[in-house]
């Protein structure tokens, strides 16, 4: 039976929803007489009921796959409807959706249908049609297929805005257990190549005018890790993310709470709820590393390998380092202010600016944007402490503990 475009779209768009690496950090690119644009502030987003980004045409090229990853809904042993788009079909769909104002860009991933090279070549063809035939200047994010020829990766990177390679599991042991056909070195190799090309391209564009036209992956690269499919601790995940940021200058590491889709003794039971709160805490820890100058070992150490669920990682760190508090708001450095729960990047900058004019009073802090509900237990202002309880981790923990919501008892 010949499958129609809408049938394929239903199957392949559904197969792509498990990939969360779809946010754009934005990229500056001028429209040169074609259609579409990609502004520096990023494309607009909207979110579906399950929290997934839907402003891009987020789709798989195919859900046929030669691999048999235990955690993947598209593994080759699963009995699910299968479909494939041709490069021309995807390009026509993207342009059709764009002209109807449904989308502003494309997020394209794929199963490995025949070989990594064959799949990467088809992804390149989609971008070639969109960029060079339709002159589409909108945002395009594509997945890189580990094992593909570096020449194909480079050709595709000159047409894409962002590329990502899914690391999936944070450790070699987990990858061997759940995806034995993959290996961490094979996944890291294209990341290394993309990182090198980005640095080389940036250097060439500074030196040569003709190189300005050929930007390689101007929005950088990202990756995704699945949370909860293996027994890896939060410490393993956070340490792996830190290493990826340092080694490959990634824009983002995305964390995807594992949704049980396959029945296997190696995986959580099918009735297990996705660890969404854990995913949220990992994003907060990631934020601390990228913007608050925290090291992974400060966020999760060997004694506490898992992030607390009741408190965000910054408050948890403060509880473990109460000897540093209370901190005088009028003397603390910018770096020290960033460590205070309730003080963010902008409020820390405002405190530094305001102190050049006059000393800050406690009443000023709320106007500056400080969350006094949390910060008052960790600061003094002009020598006064406003916490109303002794500066002890146990007491502050009880004061800040989330209120337990009443639960309706069931009869069964």
């Amino acid at each position: 039976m010949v499958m129609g475009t809408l049938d394929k779209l239903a199957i392949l768009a559904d197969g792509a929803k498990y990939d969360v690496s779809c946010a754009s950090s934005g990229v500056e690119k001028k429209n040169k007489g074609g259609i579409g644009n990609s502004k520096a502030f990023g494309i607009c987003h909207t979110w579906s009921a399950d929290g997934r980004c839907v402003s891009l045409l987020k789709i798989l090229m195919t859900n046929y796959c030669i691999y048999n990853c235990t955690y993947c809904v598209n593994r080759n042993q699963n009995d699910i409807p299968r479909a494939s788009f041709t490069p021309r079909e995807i390009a026509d769909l993207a342009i059709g959706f764009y002209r109807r104002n449904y989308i502003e860009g494309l997020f394209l991933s794929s199963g490995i249908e025949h070989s990594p090279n064959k799949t990467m070549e088809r992804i390149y063809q989609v971008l070639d049609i969109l960029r060079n035939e339709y002159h589409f200047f909108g945002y395009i994010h594509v997945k890189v297929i580990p094992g593909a020829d570096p020449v194909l990766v480079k050709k595709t990177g000159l047409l894409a805005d962002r590329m990502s390679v899914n690391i999936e599991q944070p450790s070699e042991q987990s990858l061997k257990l759940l995806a034995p056909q993959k290996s961490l070195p094979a996944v890291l190799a294209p990341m290394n190549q993309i990182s090198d090309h980005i640095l080389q391209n940036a250097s060439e564009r500074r030196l040569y005018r003709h190189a300005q036209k050929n930007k390689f992956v101007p929005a950088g690269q990202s990756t995704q890790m699945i949370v909860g499919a293996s027994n890896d601790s939060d410490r393993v995940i956070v340490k792996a993310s830190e290493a990826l940021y340092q080694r490959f200058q990634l824009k983002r590491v995305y964390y995807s709470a594992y949704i049980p889709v396959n029945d296997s003794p190696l995986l959580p039971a099918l009735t297990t709820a996705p660890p969404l709160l854990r995913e949220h805490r990992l994003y907060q820890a990631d934020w601390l590393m990228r913007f608050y100058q925290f090291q992974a070992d400060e966020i999760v150490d060997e004694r506490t390998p898992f992030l607390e669920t009741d408190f965000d990682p910054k408050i948890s760190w403060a509880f473990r380092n109460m000897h540093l508090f209370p901190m005088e708001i009028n003397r603390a450095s910018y770096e020290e202010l960033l460590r205070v729960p309730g003080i963010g990047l902008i409020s820390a900058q405002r405190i530094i600016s305001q102190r050049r004019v006059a000393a800050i009073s406690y009443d000023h802090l709320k106007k500056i944007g400080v969350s006094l509900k949390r910060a008052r237990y960790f600061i003094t202002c002009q020598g006064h402490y406003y916490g109303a309880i002794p500066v002890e981790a146990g007491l502050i923990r009880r004061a800040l503990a989330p209120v337990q919501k009443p639960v309706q008892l069931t009869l069964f």
Side-chain angles (χ1 to χ4, degrees):
M1 182 179 71
V2 179
M3 191 176 289
T5 301
L6 285 180
D7 296 325
K8 291 183 184 179
L9 188 60
I11 293 170
L12 296 174
D14 187 67
K17 71 181 182 183
Y18 300 97
D19 202 320
V20 298
S21 310
C22 60
S24 162
S25 294
V27 53
E28 186 71 48
K29 187 169 52 198
K30 295 180 180 177
N31 188 327
K32 301 171 185 175
I35 57 176
N37 61 69
S38 186
K39 297 292 186 182
F41 50 79
I43 64 173
C44 298
H45 294 91
T46 186
W47 303 89
S48 64
D50 63 353
R52 307 290 169 180
C53 176
V54 293
S55 60
L56 309 175
L57 173 57
K58 186 177 176 183
I59 196 170
L60 297 178
M61 173 163 276
T62 178
N63 65 346
Y64 287 98
C65 194
I66 59 176
Y67 292 152
N68 194 36
C69 305
T70 310
Y71 48 81
C72 183
V73 69
N74 297 317
R75 60 185 299 196
N76 60 18
Q77 288 185 357
N78 277 3
D79 182 19
I80 58 172
R82 303 279 181 176
S84 286
F85 274 126
T86 64
R88 172 65 62 180
E89 285 176 321
I90 290 186
D92 288 348
L93 268 177
I95 287 299
F97 279 27
Y98 179 81
R99 285 172 173 159
R100 289 174 176 82
N101 204 27
Y102 295 164
I103 60 160
E104 296 180 71
L106 173 67
F107 175 91
L108 182 59
S109 185
S110 182
I112 319 299
E113 189 164 6
H114 297 291
S115 68
N117 280 341
K118 179 74 174 178
T119 307
M120 199 70 226
E121 174 68 29
R122 285 158 56 86
I123 290 175
Y124 166 75
Q125 289 172 3
V126 174
L127 272 61
D128 186 44
I129 295 170
L130 285 171
R131 296 298 198 207
N132 298 324
E133 186 174 323
Y134 286 116
H135 305 292
F136 179 70
F137 284 86
Y139 178 82
I140 299 180
H141 178 164
V142 295
K143 288 290 174 185
V144 175
I145 308 302
D149 192 305
V151 175
L152 285 172
V153 175
K154 185 176 182 181
K155 285 168 56 180
T156 309
L158 289 171
L159 299 175
D161 292 296
R162 171 168 288 190
M163 302 180 93
S164 55
V165 187
N166 281 357
I167 192 170
E168 305 290 7
Q169 300 299 320
S171 65
E172 181 74 42
Q173 294 86 348
S174 299
L175 206 59
K176 282 183 178 176
L177 183 67
L178 299 177
Q181 294 163 301
K182 296 180 179 178
S183 71
L184 208 51
V187 174
L188 298 182
M191 281 190 191
N192 194 42
Q193 184 198 349
I194 294 169
S195 176
D196 287 347
H197 280 316
I198 290 174
L199 294 174
Q200 181 183 350
N201 184 255
S203 175
E204 289 175 351
R205 284 191 288 113
R206 282 195 296 271
L207 294 175
Y208 309 111
R209 182 176 297 179
H210 72 274
Q212 296 287 337
K213 298 178 181 177
N214 300 316
K215 293 183 180 179
F216 183 86
V217 194
Q221 64 168 326
S222 60
T223 189
Q224 170 184 284
M225 274 191 258
I226 299 173
V227 179
S230 66
N231 293 324
D232 290 307
S233 67
D234 292 339
R235 174 176 166 79
V236 172
I237 295 173
V238 173
K239 292 278 287 182
S241 298
E242 182 182 57
L244 291 172
Y245 282 126
Q246 292 174 351
R247 186 173 172 187
F248 303 118
Q249 297 83 44
L250 296 187
K251 288 288 184 181
R252 288 289 302 272
V253 175
Y254 290 90
Y255 307 95
S256 175
Y258 173 67
I259 301 173
V261 291
N262 296 326
D263 191 13
S264 167
L266 301 176
L267 296 171
L270 288 174
T271 54
T272 305
L276 297 178
L277 180 56
R278 186 182 176 195
E279 175 194 274
H280 177 61
R281 294 296 183 220
L282 283 167
Y283 273 116
Q284 291 177 319
D286 188 275
W287 196 262
L288 291 181
M289 287 193 295
R290 289 192 295 137
F291 300 107
Y292 285 76
Q293 305 171 16
F294 276 78
Q295 303 296 314
D297 285 329
E298 295 178 291
I299 299 170
V300 274
D301 54 30
E302 292 182 354
R303 291 179 302 170
T304 54
F306 286 91
L307 298 167
E308 288 191 81
T309 53
D310 284 343
F311 299 99
D312 68 58
K314 193 174 176 183
I315 294 183
S316 295
W317 174 85
F319 287 151
R320 296 194 301 271
N321 295 276
M322 287 305 295
H323 61 283
L324 301 176
F325 301 102
M327 201 173 286
E328 171 53 45
I329 212 77
N330 284 294
R331 289 200 300 270
S333 66
Y334 176 72
E335 290 75 18
E336 290 172 327
L337 289 172
L338 290 180
R339 301 277 169 147
V340 178
I343 296 181
L345 294 169
I346 294 176
S347 51
Q349 290 168 358
R350 288 173 178 167
I351 289 170
I352 297 294
S353 299
Q354 180 63 29
R355 283 191 334 206
R356 297 193 184 106
V357 180
I360 296 174
S361 70
Y362 186 73
D363 293 335
H364 285 152
L365 290 176
K366 189 171 184 179
K367 297 176 183 175
I368 285 174
V370 174
S371 174
L372 292 176
K373 179 182 176 182
R374 282 171 286 165
R376 60 179 175 158
Y377 301 109
F378 302 96
I379 61 171
T380 59
C381 199
Q382 297 181 334
H384 296 286
Y385 172 68
Y386 294 86
I389 58 175
V391 187
E392 295 178 13
L395 296 174
I396 299 174
R397 182 181 286 272
R398 279 199 290 275
L400 290 176
V403 177
Q404 297 294 326
K405 295 181 180 178
V407 179
Q408 175 67 52
L409 297 176
T410 62
L411 295 176
F412 306 99

PDB file of all heavy atoms in Angstrom, residues 41-60:
ATOM      1  N   PHE A  41      17.738  37.080  18.009  1.00  0.00           N
ATOM      2  CA  PHE A  41      17.068  36.696  19.243  1.00  0.00           C
ATOM      3  C   PHE A  41      16.406  35.332  19.136  1.00  0.00           C
ATOM      4  O   PHE A  41      15.742  34.889  20.061  1.00  0.00           O
ATOM      5  CB  PHE A  41      16.041  37.763  19.631  1.00  0.00           C
ATOM      6  CG  PHE A  41      15.119  38.162  18.522  1.00  0.00           C
ATOM      7  CD1 PHE A  41      14.041  37.377  18.176  1.00  0.00           C
ATOM      8  CD2 PHE A  41      15.363  39.323  17.824  1.00  0.00           C
ATOM      9  CE1 PHE A  41      13.196  37.766  17.165  1.00  0.00           C
ATOM     10  CE2 PHE A  41      14.511  39.716  16.796  1.00  0.00           C
ATOM     11  CZ  PHE A  41      13.435  38.925  16.463  1.00  0.00           C
ATOM     12  N   GLY A  42      16.589  34.632  18.036  1.00  0.00           N
ATOM     13  CA  GLY A  42      16.041  33.296  17.902  1.00  0.00           C
ATOM     14  C   GLY A  42      14.662  33.306  17.312  1.00  0.00           C
ATOM     15  O   GLY A  42      13.984  34.320  17.274  1.00  0.00           O
ATOM     16  N   ILE A  43      14.252  32.183  16.812  1.00  0.00           N
ATOM     17  CA  ILE A  43      12.926  32.085  16.221  1.00  0.00           C
ATOM     18  C   ILE A  43      11.899  31.994  17.328  1.00  0.00           C
ATOM     19  O   ILE A  43      12.203  31.693  18.468  1.00  0.00           O
ATOM     20  CB  ILE A  43      12.842  30.861  15.304  1.00  0.00           C
ATOM     21  CG1 ILE A  43      13.011  29.575  16.098  1.00  0.00           C
ATOM     22  CG2 ILE A  43      13.856  30.935  14.205  1.00  0.00           C
ATOM     23  CD1 ILE A  43      12.763  28.348  15.277  1.00  0.00           C
ATOM     24  N   CYS A  44      10.656  32.269  16.971  1.00  0.00           N
ATOM     25  CA  CYS A  44       9.593  32.193  17.966  1.00  0.00           C
ATOM     26  C   CYS A  44       9.303  30.734  18.302  1.00  0.00           C
ATOM     27  O   CYS A  44       9.472  29.850  17.476  1.00  0.00           O
ATOM     28  CB  CYS A  44       8.343  32.871  17.435  1.00  0.00           C
ATOM     29  SG  CYS A  44       8.552  34.608  17.090  1.00  0.00           S
ATOM     30  N   HIS A  45       8.887  30.522  19.539  1.00  0.00           N
ATOM     31  CA  HIS A  45       8.574  29.171  19.970  1.00  0.00           C
ATOM     32  C   HIS A  45       7.149  29.093  20.470  1.00  0.00           C
ATOM     33  O   HIS A  45       6.595  30.067  20.970  1.00  0.00           O
ATOM     34  CB  HIS A  45       9.502  28.742  21.110  1.00  0.00           C
ATOM     35  CG  HIS A  45      10.930  28.623  20.705  1.00  0.00           C
ATOM     36  ND1 HIS A  45      11.809  29.667  20.799  1.00  0.00           N
ATOM     37  CD2 HIS A  45      11.634  27.578  20.191  1.00  0.00           C
ATOM     38  CE1 HIS A  45      13.000  29.270  20.362  1.00  0.00           C
ATOM     39  NE2 HIS A  45      12.912  28.014  19.988  1.00  0.00           N
ATOM     40  N   THR A  46       6.595  27.952  20.332  1.00  0.00           N
ATOM     41  CA  THR A  46       5.364  27.631  21.029  1.00  0.00           C
ATOM     42  C   THR A  46       5.530  26.207  21.539  1.00  0.00           C
ATOM     43  O   THR A  46       6.438  25.486  21.121  1.00  0.00           O
ATOM     44  CB  THR A  46       4.141  27.760  20.109  1.00  0.00           C
ATOM     45  OG1 THR A  46       2.963  27.558  20.890  1.00  0.00           O
ATOM     46  CG2 THR A  46       4.193  26.734  18.982  1.00  0.00           C
ATOM     47  N   TRP A  47       4.709  25.800  22.462  1.00  0.00           N
ATOM     48  CA  TRP A  47       4.916  24.520  23.122  1.00  0.00           C
ATOM     49  C   TRP A  47       3.627  23.716  23.124  1.00  0.00           C
ATOM     50  O   TRP A  47       2.549  24.247  23.385  1.00  0.00           O
ATOM     51  CB  TRP A  47       5.396  24.734  24.570  1.00  0.00           C
ATOM     52  CG  TRP A  47       6.637  25.553  24.607  1.00  0.00           C
ATOM     53  CD1 TRP A  47       6.722  26.914  24.666  1.00  0.00           C
ATOM     54  CD2 TRP A  47       7.978  25.079  24.529  1.00  0.00           C
ATOM     55  NE1 TRP A  47       8.039  27.319  24.636  1.00  0.00           N
ATOM     56  CE2 TRP A  47       8.833  26.208  24.553  1.00  0.00           C
ATOM     57  CE3 TRP A  47       8.558  23.804  24.439  1.00  0.00           C
ATOM     58  CZ2 TRP A  47      10.204  26.099  24.497  1.00  0.00           C
ATOM     59  CZ3 TRP A  47       9.926  23.714  24.388  1.00  0.00           C
ATOM     60  CH2 TRP A  47      10.740  24.845  24.417  1.00  0.00           C
ATOM     61  N   SER A  48       3.763  22.479  22.838  1.00  0.00           N
ATOM     62  CA  SER A  48       2.592  21.606  22.824  1.00  0.00           C
ATOM     63  C   SER A  48       2.221  21.227  24.259  1.00  0.00           C
ATOM     64  O   SER A  48       2.916  21.597  25.216  1.00  0.00           O
ATOM     65  CB  SER A  48       2.899  20.348  22.017  1.00  0.00           C
ATOM     66  OG  SER A  48       3.916  19.608  22.650  1.00  0.00           O
ATOM     67  N   ALA A  49       1.130  20.493  24.399  1.00  0.00           N
ATOM     68  CA  ALA A  49       0.649  20.141  25.731  1.00  0.00           C
ATOM     69  C   ALA A  49       1.664  19.318  26.514  1.00  0.00           C
ATOM     70  O   ALA A  49       1.697  19.366  27.748  1.00  0.00           O
ATOM     71  CB  ALA A  49      -0.656  19.367  25.613  1.00  0.00           C
ATOM     72  N   ASP A  50       2.500  18.558  25.826  1.00  0.00           N
ATOM     73  CA  ASP A  50       3.498  17.757  26.543  1.00  0.00           C
ATOM     74  C   ASP A  50       4.813  18.504  26.698  1.00  0.00           C
ATOM     75  O   ASP A  50       5.823  17.907  27.063  1.00  0.00           O
ATOM     76  CB  ASP A  50       3.727  16.418  25.830  1.00  0.00           C
ATOM     77  CG  ASP A  50       4.292  16.612  24.431  1.00  0.00           C
ATOM     78  OD1 ASP A  50       4.374  17.773  23.967  1.00  0.00           O
ATOM     79  OD2 ASP A  50       4.636  15.613  23.807  1.00  0.00           O
ATOM     80  N   GLY A  51       4.822  19.798  26.421  1.00  0.00           N
ATOM     81  CA  GLY A  51       6.012  20.604  26.663  1.00  0.00           C
ATOM     82  C   GLY A  51       7.011  20.610  25.539  1.00  0.00           C
ATOM     83  O   GLY A  51       8.107  21.150  25.694  1.00  0.00           O
ATOM     84  N   ARG A  52       6.682  20.019  24.413  1.00  0.00           N
ATOM     85  CA  ARG A  52       7.638  19.961  23.308  1.00  0.00           C
ATOM     86  C   ARG A  52       7.529  21.184  22.418  1.00  0.00           C
ATOM     87  O   ARG A  52       6.452  21.740  22.242  1.00  0.00           O
ATOM     88  CB  ARG A  52       7.387  18.706  22.469  1.00  0.00           C
ATOM     89  CG  ARG A  52       7.355  17.424  23.277  1.00  0.00           C
ATOM     90  CD  ARG A  52       8.719  17.057  23.806  1.00  0.00           C
ATOM     91  NE  ARG A  52       8.630  15.986  24.791  1.00  0.00           N
ATOM     92  CZ  ARG A  52       9.675  15.475  25.420  1.00  0.00           C
ATOM     93  NH1 ARG A  52      10.867  15.945  25.184  1.00  0.00           N
ATOM     94  NH2 ARG A  52       9.528  14.511  26.294  1.00  0.00           N
ATOM     95  N   CYS A  53       8.674  21.577  21.854  1.00  0.00           N
ATOM     96  CA  CYS A  53       8.693  22.727  20.969  1.00  0.00           C
ATOM     97  C   CYS A  53       8.046  22.360  19.638  1.00  0.00           C
ATOM     98  O   CYS A  53       8.376  21.340  19.038  1.00  0.00           O
ATOM     99  CB  CYS A  53      10.139  23.165  20.744  1.00  0.00           C
ATOM    100  SG  CYS A  53      10.308  24.506  19.575  1.00  0.00           S
ATOM    101  N   VAL A  54       7.121  23.183  19.171  1.00  0.00           N
ATOM    102  CA  VAL A  54       6.431  22.841  17.926  1.00  0.00           C
ATOM    103  C   VAL A  54       6.502  23.959  16.895  1.00  0.00           C
ATOM    104  O   VAL A  54       5.833  23.904  15.886  1.00  0.00           O
ATOM    105  CB  VAL A  54       4.951  22.498  18.192  1.00  0.00           C
ATOM    106  CG1 VAL A  54       4.833  21.225  18.985  1.00  0.00           C
ATOM    107  CG2 VAL A  54       4.253  23.650  18.867  1.00  0.00           C
ATOM    108  N   SER A  55       7.274  24.987  17.142  1.00  0.00           N
ATOM    109  CA  SER A  55       7.344  26.075  16.182  1.00  0.00           C
ATOM    110  C   SER A  55       8.209  25.721  14.974  1.00  0.00           C
ATOM    111  O   SER A  55       8.143  26.360  13.958  1.00  0.00           O
ATOM    112  CB  SER A  55       7.869  27.346  16.839  1.00  0.00           C
ATOM    113  OG  SER A  55       9.152  27.094  17.353  1.00  0.00           O
ATOM    114  N   LEU A  56       9.055  24.735  15.128  1.00  0.00           N
ATOM    115  CA  LEU A  56       9.810  24.218  13.993  1.00  0.00           C
ATOM    116  C   LEU A  56       9.066  23.025  13.422  1.00  0.00           C
ATOM    117  O   LEU A  56       8.310  22.369  14.136  1.00  0.00           O
ATOM    118  CB  LEU A  56      11.192  23.748  14.454  1.00  0.00           C
ATOM    119  CG  LEU A  56      12.029  24.716  15.273  1.00  0.00           C
ATOM    120  CD1 LEU A  56      13.298  24.026  15.728  1.00  0.00           C
ATOM    121  CD2 LEU A  56      12.364  25.945  14.476  1.00  0.00           C
ATOM    122  N   LEU A  57       9.262  22.755  12.153  1.00  0.00           N
ATOM    123  CA  LEU A  57       8.804  21.483  11.616  1.00  0.00           C
ATOM    124  C   LEU A  57       9.775  20.433  12.128  1.00  0.00           C
ATOM    125  O   LEU A  57      10.902  20.311  11.656  1.00  0.00           O
ATOM    126  CB  LEU A  57       8.779  21.488  10.090  1.00  0.00           C
ATOM    127  CG  LEU A  57       8.469  20.130   9.445  1.00  0.00           C
ATOM    128  CD1 LEU A  57       7.137  19.577   9.941  1.00  0.00           C
ATOM    129  CD2 LEU A  57       8.469  20.236   7.930  1.00  0.00           C
ATOM    130  N   LYS A  58       9.341  19.728  13.158  1.00  0.00           N
ATOM    131  CA  LYS A  58      10.228  18.786  13.845  1.00  0.00           C
ATOM    132  C   LYS A  58       9.891  17.386  13.361  1.00  0.00           C
ATOM    133  O   LYS A  58       8.814  16.868  13.640  1.00  0.00           O
ATOM    134  CB  LYS A  58       9.998  18.908  15.345  1.00  0.00           C
ATOM    135  CG  LYS A  58      10.915  18.111  16.208  1.00  0.00           C
ATOM    136  CD  LYS A  58      10.582  18.411  17.652  1.00  0.00           C
ATOM    137  CE  LYS A  58      11.414  17.562  18.581  1.00  0.00           C
ATOM    138  NZ  LYS A  58      11.032  17.808  19.972  1.00  0.00           N
ATOM    139  N   ILE A  59      10.788  16.800  12.647  1.00  0.00           N
ATOM    140  CA  ILE A  59      10.423  15.582  11.931  1.00  0.00           C
ATOM    141  C   ILE A  59      11.627  14.674  11.742  1.00  0.00           C
ATOM    142  O   ILE A  59      12.768  15.141  11.715  1.00  0.00           O
ATOM    143  CB  ILE A  59       9.808  15.968  10.561  1.00  0.00           C
ATOM    144  CG1 ILE A  59       9.066  14.800   9.955  1.00  0.00           C
ATOM    145  CG2 ILE A  59      10.848  16.509   9.617  1.00  0.00           C
ATOM    146  CD1 ILE A  59       8.257  15.202   8.747  1.00  0.00           C
ATOM    147  N   LEU A  60      11.333  13.393  11.627  1.00  0.00           N
ATOM    148  CA  LEU A  60      12.358  12.423  11.234  1.00  0.00           C
ATOM    149  C   LEU A  60      12.307  12.241   9.728  1.00  0.00           C
ATOM    150  O   LEU A  60      11.233  12.276   9.127  1.00  0.00           O
ATOM    151  CB  LEU A  60      12.095  11.074  11.904  1.00  0.00           C
ATOM    152  CG  LEU A  60      12.152  10.975  13.424  1.00  0.00           C
ATOM    153  CD1 LEU A  60      11.815   9.555  13.862  1.00  0.00           C
ATOM    154  CD2 LEU A  60      13.516  11.369  13.948  1.00  0.00           C
TER     155      LEU A  60
END
